[in-house]
């Protein structure tokens, strides 16, 4: 197969809704005297890379980075769209040093002037499609878009989009909000691709609404519902859901095609990071971004985070990497035009709202 391939797959986890603050963050006063010292760096990020039990890739990377540099990471988590919106509101009083989101929101942040040019060490090893041609952002973890289902209640995964229209899925399907969550936006992108255009995709999503519980503020919060059987299917991304499946035994990952013969497919949803314009701790932001792309951190992407290294020279062979390779084997991977999607995102979101009555 960012999402972002199974060790290369990635895709889009992002979530929305109320912000989740790390315990270390009591306030984001990046411009205050309390934060003006040289030993802090603030990260605004889409969810998925920080473990609920402190066992995620971010947890390890932040811990190692602080031990190496003495710089403490302050962490703010939300949906990709939510993070960009927050950074936009704070443009006259910048609080964040690094912004990490899924596409098309990293492109949106770039177009809004929220990011400054910085090419981190190791970026030369990142595929050209996974970084800004202008040097404003670089993927740090590759990933892929996907769906999840309850393996206990369903004998096999749904085969295609149309399966989800069956009456047995009534009030048993939910997906995160397009335009706010990266993975929710990916649902619309995938539907447009699979059904051959916006109108056909919206016609399908209108039909799906009969079984849909309603928009979710967070993609990450859908997995526990699927695992418990409250939902039979939901959207997600490979990295986040694979990591969650370690503690949620009923969680299965699948990739939809269409009843008309479109093969199961996915696309990259990488976690992409950029240095924020007028960052209060710009030097520390650069150091953290350098560290995220270091060989040590990138080798931990699959082993700890269940994702795919953003660097093409890292060939992971750990158990997670092997399992992810099998999971994505035979899945068609297509490349969205992210710049075009970022430009037309408001139109797509409006069309989705009209189609679903959301």
């Amino acid at each position: 197969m960012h999402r972002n391939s199974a060790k290369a797959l990635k895709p889009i986890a992002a979530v929305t809704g109320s912000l989740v603050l790390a315990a270390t963050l009591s306030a984001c006063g990046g411009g205050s005297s309390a934060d003006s010292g040289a030993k802090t760096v603030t990260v605004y990020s889409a969810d998925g890379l920080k473990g609920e039990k402190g066992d995620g890739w971010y947890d390890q990377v932040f811990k190692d980075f602080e031990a190496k540099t003495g710089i403490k990471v302050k962490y703010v988590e939300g949906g990709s769209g939510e993070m960009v919106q927050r950074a936009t509101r704070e443009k006259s009083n910048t609080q964040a040093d690094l912004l990490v989101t899924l596409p098309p929101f990293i492109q949106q942040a770039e177009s809004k002037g929220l990011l400054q040019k910085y090419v981190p060490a190791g970026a030369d090893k990142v595929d050209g499609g996974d970084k800004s041609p202008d040097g404003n952002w670089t993927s740090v973890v590759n990933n892929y878009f996907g769906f999840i289902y309850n393996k206990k209640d369903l004998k096999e995964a749904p085969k295609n989009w149309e399966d989800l229209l069956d009456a047995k899925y009534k009030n048993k399907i939910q997906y995160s909000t397009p335009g706010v969550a990266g993975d929710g936006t990916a649902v619309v992108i995938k539907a447009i691709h699979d059904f051959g255009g916006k109108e056909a995709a919206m016609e399908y999503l209108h039909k799906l609404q009969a079984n849909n519980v309603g928009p979710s503020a967070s993609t990450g919060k859908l997995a526990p519902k699927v695992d418990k059987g409250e939902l039979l299917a939901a959207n997600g991304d490979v990295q986040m859901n694979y990591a969650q499946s370690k503690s949620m035994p009923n969680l299965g990952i699948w990739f939809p095609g269409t009843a008309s013969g479109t093969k199961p497919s996915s696309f990259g949803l990488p976690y992409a990071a950029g240095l924020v314009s007028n960052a209060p701790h710009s030097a520390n932001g650069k150091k953290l971004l350098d560290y995220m792309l270091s060989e040590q951190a990138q080798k931990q992407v699959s082993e700890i985070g269940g994702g795919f290294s953003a660097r093409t020279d890292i060939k992971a062979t750990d158990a997670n990497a092997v399992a992810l390779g099998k999971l994505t084997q035979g899945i068609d991977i297509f490349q969205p035009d992210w710049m075009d999607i970022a430009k037309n995102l408001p139109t797509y979101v409006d069309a989705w709202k009209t189609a679903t009555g959301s």
Side-chain angles (χ1 to χ4, degrees):
M1 280 169 78
H2 163 281
R3 219 193 165 348
N4 344 125
S5 69
K7 248 287 101 208
L9 272 187
K10 162 81 197 171
I12 271 163
V15 181
T16 114
S18 43
L19 300 177
V20 180
L21 304 185
T24 56
L25 182 59
S26 58
C28 270
S32 69
S33 58
D35 281 343
S36 61
K39 293 300 181 181
T40 60
V41 60
T42 298
V43 178
Y44 282 11
S45 178
D47 67 334
L49 294 177
K50 198 171 193 304
E52 294 182 7
K53 298 180 180 179
D55 55 355
W57 185 70
Y58 270 162
D59 300 284
Q60 188 66 52
V61 167
F62 294 167
K63 177 182 177 181
D64 292 346
F65 177 73
E66 183 176 352
K68 181 179 180 179
T69 65
I71 299 170
K72 192 170 187 63
V73 180
K74 296 185 175 182
Y75 177 71
V76 182
E77 179 181 282
S80 288
E82 181 73 18
M83 293 295 91
V84 172
Q85 291 168 14
R86 179 164 178 165
T88 301
R89 292 195 302 268
E90 296 171 349
K91 200 170 182 180
S92 61
N93 183 27
T94 307
Q95 306 293 303
D97 300 300
L98 282 184
L99 179 66
V100 185
T101 79
L102 304 178
F105 296 98
I106 196 68
Q107 288 86 356
Q108 189 179 78
E110 182 177 30
S111 68
K112 290 176 177 288
L114 297 178
L115 306 176
Q116 59 176 296
K117 183 175 181 177
Y118 178 64
V119 180
D124 60 316
K125 304 298 184 181
V126 176
D127 186 85
D130 290 331
K131 58 188 176 184
S132 166
D134 296 322
N136 292 320
W137 57 267
T138 306
S139 296
V140 292
V141 172
N142 280 340
N143 189 13
Y144 293 91
F145 173 69
F147 274 79
I148 50 178
Y149 73 103
N150 182 290
K151 296 192 294 184
K152 180 180 179 181
D153 294 338
L154 296 176
K155 293 182 179 180
E156 59 182 10
K159 292 183 174 61
N160 49 54
W161 289 99
E162 288 84 354
D163 280 359
L164 300 181
L165 300 178
D166 191 279
K168 71 180 179 182
Y169 291 100
K170 179 72 174 180
N171 295 324
K172 289 289 188 176
I173 292 175
Q174 192 170 21
Y175 58 91
S176 50
T177 311
V180 181
D183 289 322
T185 304
V187 171
V188 173
I189 295 170
K190 178 77 160 66
I192 291 174
H193 172 269
D194 287 1
F195 289 102
K198 184 178 70 174
E199 290 187 9
M202 297 308 152
E203 181 179 350
Y204 169 81
L205 293 173
H206 172 72
K207 294 177 182 177
L208 183 64
Q209 199 67 8
N211 289 343
N212 187 23
V213 174
S216 169
S218 166
T219 311
K221 291 180 179 178
L222 297 179
K225 294 182 180 181
V226 173
D227 182 62
K228 294 175 184 177
E230 296 175 23
L231 299 173
L232 290 178
N235 70 312
D237 66 71
V238 174
Q239 176 276 321
M240 178 172 64
N241 295 145
Y242 181 80
Q244 290 172 318
S245 70
K246 297 295 184 179
S247 60
M248 300 179 192
N250 297 322
L251 213 61
I253 299 173
W254 66 288
F255 306 93
T258 65
S260 61
T262 302
K263 289 183 61 177
S265 64
S266 184
F267 56 94
L269 278 179
Y271 292 92
L275 187 67
V276 178
S277 296
N278 300 314
H281 305 107
S282 182
N284 294 345
K286 292 177 180 179
K287 290 178 182 178
L288 179 55
L289 189 49
D290 285 348
Y291 186 75
M292 285 180 172
L293 275 180
S294 68
E295 286 191 34
Q296 178 179 336
Q298 287 294 304
K299 287 178 179 178
Q300 296 170 330
V301 168
S302 60
E303 181 180 2
I304 295 176
F308 311 93
S309 173
R311 289 179 51 155
T312 58
D313 62 327
I314 302 296
K315 307 299 181 184
T317 58
D318 59 89
N320 285 344
V322 173
L324 287 166
K326 292 180 179 179
L327 178 66
T328 55
Q329 188 173 7
I331 303 300
D332 283 350
I333 303 301
F334 65 91
Q335 178 61 53
D337 184 340
W338 290 116
M339 293 305 297
D340 182 72
I341 291 170
K343 178 182 177 181
N344 292 295
L345 184 59
T347 300
Y348 295 153
V349 172
D350 286 346
W352 169 80
K353 289 179 178 177
T354 298
T356 61
S358 300

